[in-house]
């Protein structure tokens, strides 16, 4: 399997398309057992986390001490290993991060998967050639994002899960047309986040556990109630409104290959080794089968690909229901069934009647004694009945399933309830046997060439698909053959006896002068010598260039000249709020509207206000937070609206709005001063909004290492939690699958989601039909304003959501009084509680 590397195409090269290469299978590994399960079932690469700076801190993870042995094992088996360094890193952690990165690079791992822009910069300062893979946490959804990642030194880009295969293909074609052949990686199987990775602030907002720091609390898997215009909507048993089915790209394998995808990523670093074994094996066989059908290359697999068996293994090892996610485009009716948010397995059928210690039903799938089942009562958040079954008796088309006596509370079981198969011990046993082996279960090809002539040694050269080459020569010289000369059949037979090695013999080239012979014992010894030498080469750690000079010193002095005069900026979201903001004494106003076509009229309204009172105002427009390939009409609306500047929120804005004044919004995830310097120096951003993942201590570290005035702080807001391609309006207030047939209920209804503690969180749709769920309570950092001002904060943003014009007026006045020192933070806190009926919180800024 060739390494994944980007290529710059010359002017004379065909840029219309790239030569399709077989994608790699990239499997998750949370521990040693999972790593072996992946390797023995055909993974080309694995990705794994260490005990710091990775997005699955709830898992076991490997340690730095494991790296030498792990990489020697992987490379000995022809498998690559990628370390996940996919979290945001704070300024006061950069020295520690550098030390950690040096250890990773020194260990010879194949690449690091990185989210943080500053960490990409740091890696390039440490090593000029160590591979960086741009994480899906970077929220790359367009060709602009691919070029952004390339400038950071990335050699692979992991696209957002929300990209359809049509969009993936368009991204590939557009980057090729600009002379870049960048390997693209997509998720092909596993748990599907409802929010854009890198843009979900739910766990941070509700509990101070940042998903961008590997501490996701999975609030998307919880039940919610739907309220429209203040009234509850009866959805029956559908309460898991934000819990997508698991992704399964099995049926889209041909389209995935056609889209030019380079790597197929399987989610699941928190899953059991049986899951890793099953999913890796299924996708290995499915990819080999599809590739062979399309390209005629023979695939070497332990067993033929059987789709039904594969689907069964996927359903049984872990499934919330399987769908193609966004691979086939948006279908809001299929993505989220909303009936449960946890593992279910295979649907067996509906209970027809109950007798003594068993149930009658028409089985939709096979079942046997020893299997485990669960009975779905429509309340998956409560205790559910289920257990192991003792027998299955079938009468015509109905089956009687009997349970262990006393294992079921029959008072809680009724006809009409759905039964799911959740466990198959026989399958688990076979999966475990696939990786609990003494000799390799999955083997990779080595290619051999032999040459020689009578009177000279026989030379054997072995090469693998990773580029390793080993050459050995026989001790006895070749002799003239008397009756049985060396021929292809004999050489293939003897050289193919690779026994307990991890190889099988692939191509064989023969270059012998005349009829030669060599004793079989000498031929076998020659093979053993060459294989041993090849294995030694594979076990050698990769050597990356390393700059010995430290790049981040511990205890860096804070930047000087922190005196600043921060000011307030109102951020408004509707016409009433905007009208009030125009009346208030603020020179800058941030404006975000659901319909970008209304920006031109709003700017014209501001110009009219200027003519009336002679006071200049700057109108800064906040475009939609995400941009996907094909949404150029949104950019055109921005370019023609007449705004004074824009909040850059994604990679497309950085490029498309480069001729205008720009400030970086929170969605750029700037958490350290290395990231900040890059955005300001490379992209010309006037100022940045600090990431919402930072508390005040981390903000202090960021501000103290940055020039005065280079950051603005969102001092007051309803924290945006989930930011989703999934449209709740469409899924549950219409029968349509997307904006073309949903009737746009978002235009006529105010929607909230009620969580388990009774909080009603407002839901908004943007121009791209993406939904954002906002925290019901307003957050204020008023108590920390003195510290942030002393550290050089340039401005304070006051964001409004559904507040009335009068609430905007009163809130801005109170913050103006606070900034002027006329009221205390405690007094403001009390006033905000009076203004905001749902209350106010210190939120994520609290230390």
């Amino acid at each position: 399997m060739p390494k994944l590397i980007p290529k710059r195409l010359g002017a004379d090269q065909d840029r219309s398309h790239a030569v399709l290469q077989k994608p790699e299978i990239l499997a998750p590994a949370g521990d040693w057992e999972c790593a072996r399960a992946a390797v023995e079932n055909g993974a080309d690469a694995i990705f794994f986390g260490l005990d710091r700076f990775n997005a699955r801190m709830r898992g076991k993870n490997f340690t730095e001490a494991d790296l030498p042995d792990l990489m020697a094992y992987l490379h000995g088996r022809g498998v690559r290993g990628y370390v996940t360094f996919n979290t945001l890193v704070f300024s006061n952690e950069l020295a520690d991060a550098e030390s950690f990165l040096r250890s990773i690079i020194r260990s010879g791992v194949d690449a690091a998967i990185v989210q943080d822009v500053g960490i990409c910069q740091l890696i390039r300062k440490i090593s000029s050639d160590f591979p960086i893979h741009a994480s899906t946490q970077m929220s790359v959804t367009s060709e602009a994002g691919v070029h952004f990642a390339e400038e950071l030194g990335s050699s692979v880009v992991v696209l957002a899960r929300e990209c359809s295969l049509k969009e993936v293909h368009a991204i590939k074609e557009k980057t090729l047309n600009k002379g870049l052949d960048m390997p693209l990686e997509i998720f092909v199987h596993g748990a599907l986040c409802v929010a854009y990775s890198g843009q979900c602030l739910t766990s941070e907002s509700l509990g101070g556990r940042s998903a961008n720091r590997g501490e996701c609390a999975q609030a998307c898997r919880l039940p919610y109630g739907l309220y429209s215009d203040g009234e509850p909507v009866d959805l029956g048993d559908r309460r898991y409104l934000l819990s997508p089915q698991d992704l399964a790209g099995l049926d889209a394998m041909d389209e995935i290959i056609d889209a030019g995808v380079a790597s197929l990523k399987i989610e699941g670093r928190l899953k059991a080794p049986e899951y890793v074994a099953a999913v890796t094996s299924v996708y290995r066989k499915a990819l080999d089968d599809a590739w062979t059908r399309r390209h005629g290359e023979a695939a070497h697999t332990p067993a033929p690909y059987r789709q039904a068996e594969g689907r069964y293994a996927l359903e049984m090892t872990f499934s919330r229901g399987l769908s193609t996610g966004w691979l086939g485009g948006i279908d809001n009716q299929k993505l989220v069934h909303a009936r449960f948010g946890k593992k279910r397995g295979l649907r067996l059928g509906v209970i027809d009647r109950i007798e003594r210690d068993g149930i009658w039903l028409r089985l939709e799938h096979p079942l046997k004694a020893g299997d485990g089942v669960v009975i779905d009562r429509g309340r998956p958040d409560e205790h559910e009945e289920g257990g192991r079954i003792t027998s299955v008796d079938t009468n015509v088309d109905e089956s009687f399933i009997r349970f262990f006596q006393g294992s079921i509370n029959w008072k809680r079981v009724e006809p009409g309830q759905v039964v799911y198969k959740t466990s198959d011990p026989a399958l688990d046993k076979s999966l475990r046997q696939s990786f609990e082996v003494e000799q390799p279960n999955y083997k990779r090809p080595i290619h051999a060439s032999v040459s020689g002539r009578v009177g000279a040694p026989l030379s054997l050269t072995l090469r693998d698909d990773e580029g390793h080459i080993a050459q050995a020569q026989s001790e006895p010289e070749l002799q003239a053959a008397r009756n049985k000369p060396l021929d292809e059949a004999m050489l293939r037979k003897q050289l193919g006896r690779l026994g307990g090695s991890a190889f099988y013999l692939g191509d064989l080239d023969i270059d012998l002068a005349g009829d030669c012979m060599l004793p079989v014992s000498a031929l076998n010894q020659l093979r053993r010598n060459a294989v041993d030498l090849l294995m030694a080469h594979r076990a050698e750690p990769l050597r990356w260039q390393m700059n010995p000079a430290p790049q981040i010193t511990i205890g860096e002095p804070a930047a000087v000249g922190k005196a600043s005069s921060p000011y307030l900026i109102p951020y408004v979201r509707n016409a009433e709020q905007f009208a009030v903001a125009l009346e208030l004494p603020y020179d800058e106003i941030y404006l975000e509207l659901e319909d970008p076509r209304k920006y031109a009229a709003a700017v014209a309204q501001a110009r009219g206000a200027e003519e009336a009172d002679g006071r200049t105002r700057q109108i800064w427009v906040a475009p939609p937070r995400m941009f996907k390939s094909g949404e150029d009409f949104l950019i055109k609306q921005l370019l023609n609206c007449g705004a004074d500047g824009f909040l850059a929120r994604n990679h497309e804005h950085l490029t498309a709005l480069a001729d205008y004044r720009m400030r970086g919004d929170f969605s750029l995830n700037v958490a350290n001063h290395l990231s900040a310097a890059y955005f300001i120096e490379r992209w010309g951003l006037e100022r940045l909004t600090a990431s919402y993942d930072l508390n005040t201590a981390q903000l202090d570290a960021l501000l103290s290492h940055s020039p005065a005035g280079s950051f603005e702080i969102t001092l007051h807001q309803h924290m945006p939690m989930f930011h989703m391609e999934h449209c709740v309006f469409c899924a549950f207030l219409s029968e349509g699958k997307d904006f073309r047939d949903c009737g746009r209920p978002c235009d006529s209804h105010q929607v909230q989601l009620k969580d388990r503690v009774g909080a009603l969180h407002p839901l908004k749709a943007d121009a791209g039909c993406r939904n954002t769920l906002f925290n019901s309570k307003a957050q204020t950092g008023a108590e920390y304003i003195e510290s942030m001002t002393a550290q050089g904060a340039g401005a304070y943003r006051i964001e409004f959501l559904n507040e009335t014009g009068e609430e905007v007026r009163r809130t801005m006045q109170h913050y103006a009084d606070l900034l002027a020192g006329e009221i205390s933070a405690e007094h403001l806190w009390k006033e905000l509680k009076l203004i905001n009926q749902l209350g106010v919180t210190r939120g994520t800024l609290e230390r």
Side-chain angles (χ1 to χ4, degrees):
M1 176 63 60
K3 294 182 179 180
L4 304 180
I5 56 173
K7 301 172 186 174
R8 270 288 166 190
L9 304 180
D12 58 339
Q13 289 180 276
D14 182 7
R15 301 186 177 198
S16 60
H17 64 278
V19 176
L20 290 180
Q21 294 198 356
K22 190 175 183 181
E24 71 172 7
I25 298 292
L26 176 57
D31 57 25
W32 273 102
E33 270 199 316
C34 291
R36 293 188 182 97
V39 170
E40 298 298 351
N41 283 280
D44 296 307
I46 69 167
F47 63 104
F48 58 92
L50 299 175
D51 50 4
R52 287 179 290 172
F53 302 116
N54 95 80
R56 290 292 183 271
M57 293 307 296
R58 291 182 293 133
K60 296 178 184 177
N61 294 309
F62 291 90
T63 67
E64 289 178 80
D66 292 321
L67 283 176
D69 289 342
L70 178 60
M71 295 314 301
Y73 165 68
L74 292 176
H75 288 163
R77 297 299 302 276
V79 176
R80 293 185 285 276
Y82 308 142
V83 170
T84 55
F85 205 101
N86 53 344
T87 63
L88 298 183
V89 178
F90 305 138
S91 282
N92 56 349
E93 297 174 321
L94 286 174
D96 193 25
E98 178 178 356
S99 174
F100 204 49
L101 284 168
R102 288 183 180 276
S103 178
I104 290 170
I105 296 170
R106 196 177 295 113
S107 71
V109 302
D110 292 273
I113 304 171
V114 181
Q115 174 189 12
D116 194 296
V117 168
I119 293 300
C120 293
Q121 295 281 290
L122 181 56
I123 289 174
R124 278 296 159 263
K125 291 174 182 290
I126 297 171
S127 173
S128 62
D129 62 350
F130 178 68
I132 299 170
H133 292 187
S135 170
T136 191
Q137 298 284 118
M138 277 195 184
S139 309
V140 175
T141 56
S142 70
E143 58 276 12
V146 175
H147 289 289
F148 177 88
E150 186 214 9
E151 281 200 29
L152 290 172
S154 301
S155 56
V156 173
V157 174
V158 189
L159 296 178
R161 293 173 174 91
E162 289 77 3
C163 292
S164 69
L165 289 175
K166 181 179 179 180
E167 290 162 344
V168 173
H169 188 270
I171 292 170
K172 186 70 178 179
E173 289 297 308
K174 289 178 180 178
T175 50
L176 281 171
N177 287 336
K178 292 185 179 179
L180 174 63
D181 187 2
M182 172 67 77
L184 301 180
E185 181 178 304
I186 66 167
F187 279 86
V188 74
H189 190 91
L192 198 60
C193 297
V194 74
Y196 275 90
S197 293
Q199 299 297 318
C200 184
L201 294 160
T202 311
S203 297
E204 177 74 44
S205 178
L206 296 177
R209 295 173 53 180
S210 169
N212 282 322
R213 296 280 290 176
E215 299 172 333
C216 173
Q218 294 193 305
C220 53
R221 304 301 180 187
L222 300 176
Y224 292 89
L226 181 67
Y227 279 68
S228 178
D229 302 323
E231 297 296 326
V233 178
D234 185 4
L235 297 176
D237 63 350
R238 295 188 298 166
R239 297 185 304 125
Y240 293 81
L241 311 183
L242 303 178
S243 182
Q245 299 186 75
D246 289 346
L247 170 64
L250 205 60
D251 294 338
M253 192 60 72
D254 287 339
E255 292 85 352
I256 289 171
I257 293 172
D258 287 343
V261 174
S263 180
L264 309 183
K265 191 170 196 170
I266 298 165
E267 182 277 336
R269 281 193 286 134
L270 299 179
K271 300 289 200 310
E274 289 84 357
Y275 165 90
V276 176
V279 182
T280 304
S281 176
V282 168
Y283 280 90
R284 173 79 278 158
K285 293 171 184 175
L287 174 61
D288 288 347
D289 179 72
W291 191 262
T292 299
R293 282 189 287 103
R294 300 172 72 78
H295 299 281
E297 297 178 14
H300 180 84
T301 54
Y305 171 58
R306 297 185 178 90
Q307 189 175 33
E309 292 179 7
R311 281 199 155 276
Y312 176 74
L314 297 181
E315 291 272 16
M316 290 309 304
T317 48
F318 196 95
S319 167
R320 299 180 180 91
L322 299 178
S323 81
T324 54
W326 287 285
L327 292 179
I330 296 172
D331 188 338
N332 287 298
Q333 297 300 329
K334 290 184 178 179
L335 183 73
V336 176
H337 56 60
R339 288 177 173 82
F340 49 83
K342 59 184 179 180
K343 176 185 176 182
R344 267 293 184 258
L346 201 65
R347 178 187 160 109
L348 292 174
V350 178
I351 297 175
D352 181 58
R353 60 191 185 278
I354 302 167
E355 288 185 11
R356 300 183 306 278
D357 57 349
I359 55 177
W360 285 93
L361 75 164
R362 288 177 171 81
L363 281 175
E364 299 171 7
H365 295 280
L367 188 68
K368 60 185 181 300
D371 289 346
V373 304
V374 67
I375 299 170
D376 188 343
R377 303 175 60 245
R379 297 289 306 188
D381 50 325
E382 299 176 353
H383 171 73
E384 296 183 309
E385 299 300 326
R388 299 283 173 192
I389 61 175
T390 59
S391 63
V392 181
D393 299 311
T394 301
N395 180 13
V396 188
D397 60 349
E398 254 194 335
S399 299
F400 182 64
I401 302 173
R402 183 177 284 108
F403 295 80
F404 281 107
Q405 188 173 6
S407 63
I408 303 292
N409 180 357
W410 293 106
K411 294 180 180 179
R412 304 180 75 240
V413 180
E414 299 175 359
Q417 293 174 347
V418 181
V419 182
Y420 289 88
K421 181 177 178 179
T422 58
S423 172
D424 182 344
L427 174 64
D428 290 343
K429 181 180 179 181
S430 68
L431 291 172
R432 184 158 282 277
Q433 288 173 342
S434 74
F435 61 88
E436 287 185 340
V437 290
E438 293 183 4
Q439 294 186 352
N441 177 53
Y442 187 85
K443 299 190 176 187
R444 298 183 183 276
I446 53 171
H447 311 288
S449 60
V450 294
S451 62
R453 56 182 174 81
V454 173
L458 179 65
S459 178
L460 171 62
T461 302
L462 299 179
R463 68 184 188 281
D464 63 16
D465 288 340
E466 297 294 309
H468 300 101
I469 298 175
Q471 190 173 57
Q473 292 185 329
S474 64
E475 285 197 8
E477 296 176 342
L478 287 165
Q479 299 176 1
R482 296 178 181 177
N483 47 24
K484 289 186 177 180
L486 292 177
D487 58 13
E488 183 175 357
M490 182 181 182
L491 287 168
R492 184 168 284 280
K493 177 182 177 181
Q494 297 303 320
L495 296 179
R497 289 182 171 176
L498 296 167
S501 75
F503 307 118
Y504 70 88
L505 182 61
D507 299 332
L508 174 61
D509 295 325
I510 303 172
D511 181 17
L512 295 176
D515 292 340
C516 307
M517 66 162 290
L518 192 72
V520 170
S521 60
L523 188 58
N524 289 339
Q525 185 61 50
L526 176 63
R527 182 198 66 235
R528 286 191 289 268
N529 291 344
V531 169
D532 289 345
L533 186 58
L534 184 64
M535 285 298 297
H537 289 333
R538 288 162 68 109
E540 292 176 0
L542 297 175
R543 301 296 182 189
W544 305 111
Q545 294 182 15
M546 185 92 77
N547 181 354
Q551 301 301 307
I552 305 292
T553 58
I554 298 174
E556 285 186 15
V560 296
K562 284 299 177 185
S564 65
S565 300
Y567 58 97
L568 301 178
I569 306 174
Y571 185 117
V572 296
R573 287 188 166 90
N574 60 46
E576 180 186 359
Q577 294 174 354
F578 185 57
V580 170
L582 290 175
E583 297 173 0
L584 299 178
Y586 297 102
D587 297 333
E588 297 178 8
I589 300 172
Y590 288 167
L591 177 63
E592 179 180 355
L593 300 176
E594 294 180 17
D595 186 351
R597 293 173 298 181
K598 297 181 179 180
Y599 281 128
V603 173
Q605 181 183 355
R607 302 299 176 243
E610 292 174 355
E611 292 180 6
D613 61 20
R615 184 167 56 85
T616 302
R617 300 166 180 82
Q618 293 181 16
I619 306 302
W620 290 75
V621 162
R625 192 158 145 197
M626 301 304 300
F627 175 93
K628 292 177 75 176
S629 186
E631 294 181 347
D632 304 87
F633 67 96
L634 292 174
I635 299 296
K636 289 180 181 178
Q637 297 287 345
L638 301 175
L639 296 177
N640 296 324
C641 75
D644 296 284
F646 298 95
L647 290 183
R649 309 179 105 176
N650 57 53
H651 309 115
E652 187 70 24
H653 297 158
L654 295 174
T655 302
L657 305 175
D659 293 335
Y660 296 81
R661 296 177 64 190
M662 283 191 292
R663 294 172 183 168
D665 204 5
F666 72 96
S667 53
L668 297 181
N669 284 332
V670 178
N672 59 68
H673 56 279
L674 293 183
S675 297
Y678 179 75
F679 279 111
I680 290 173
E681 294 168 9
R682 165 62 182 89
W683 295 101
L685 302 186
E686 296 181 7
R687 192 164 63 217
L688 297 165
T689 309
S691 165
Y692 292 168
D693 289 279
L694 281 64
N695 63 25
T696 52
Q698 293 146 359
L699 265 175
D700 285 349
L702 174 61
L703 295 174
S704 68
H705 287 80
S706 304
S710 56
F711 275 95
E712 65 184 46
I713 310 300
T714 302
L715 194 63
H716 178 104
Q717 66 167 323
H718 290 267
M719 175 77 86
M721 299 192 300
F722 296 108
H723 186 63
M724 309 171 285
E725 194 77 17
H726 169 52
C727 183
V728 176
F729 294 92
C730 177
F732 302 107
L733 292 179
S734 84
E735 296 182 356
K737 68 175 186 177
D738 61 23
F739 70 94
R740 289 168 290 192
D741 57 3
C742 70
R744 295 195 62 81
C746 55
D747 288 341
S748 54
H749 297 284
Q750 295 290 321
V751 170
Q752 299 162 301
L753 298 189
K754 185 177 183 179
D755 66 18
R756 294 187 301 171
V757 300
L760 286 165
H761 303 292
L763 186 75
K764 295 286 188 182
D766 67 14
C769 291
R770 295 172 191 107
N771 287 190
T772 304
L773 188 69
F774 291 86
N775 197 315
S776 61
K777 288 187 176 182
Q779 168 184 307
T780 180
E783 291 177 290
Y784 314 108
I785 195 169
E786 289 186 10
S787 170
M788 292 186 290
T789 298
Q791 293 288 5
Y796 295 114
R797 183 193 300 184
I798 311 299
E799 283 200 16
F800 300 99
L801 187 62
N802 291 328
E803 289 87 349
T804 66
E806 183 55 31
E807 288 170 340
V808 170
R809 190 186 306 275
R810 290 171 59 194
T811 301
M812 290 303 302
Q813 184 58 56
H814 288 309
Y815 275 105
D817 292 343
L818 175 70
L819 197 59
E822 296 176 5
I823 63 172
S824 66
E826 182 180 0
H827 179 80
L828 174 61
W829 179 271
K830 293 177 181 177
E831 290 295 327
L832 291 176
K833 282 190 172 183
L834 294 175
I835 295 173
N836 294 274
Q837 296 179 5
L838 296 176
V840 66
T841 176
R842 293 176 179 84
T844 59
L845 290 174
E846 196 165 16
R847 291 176 188 263

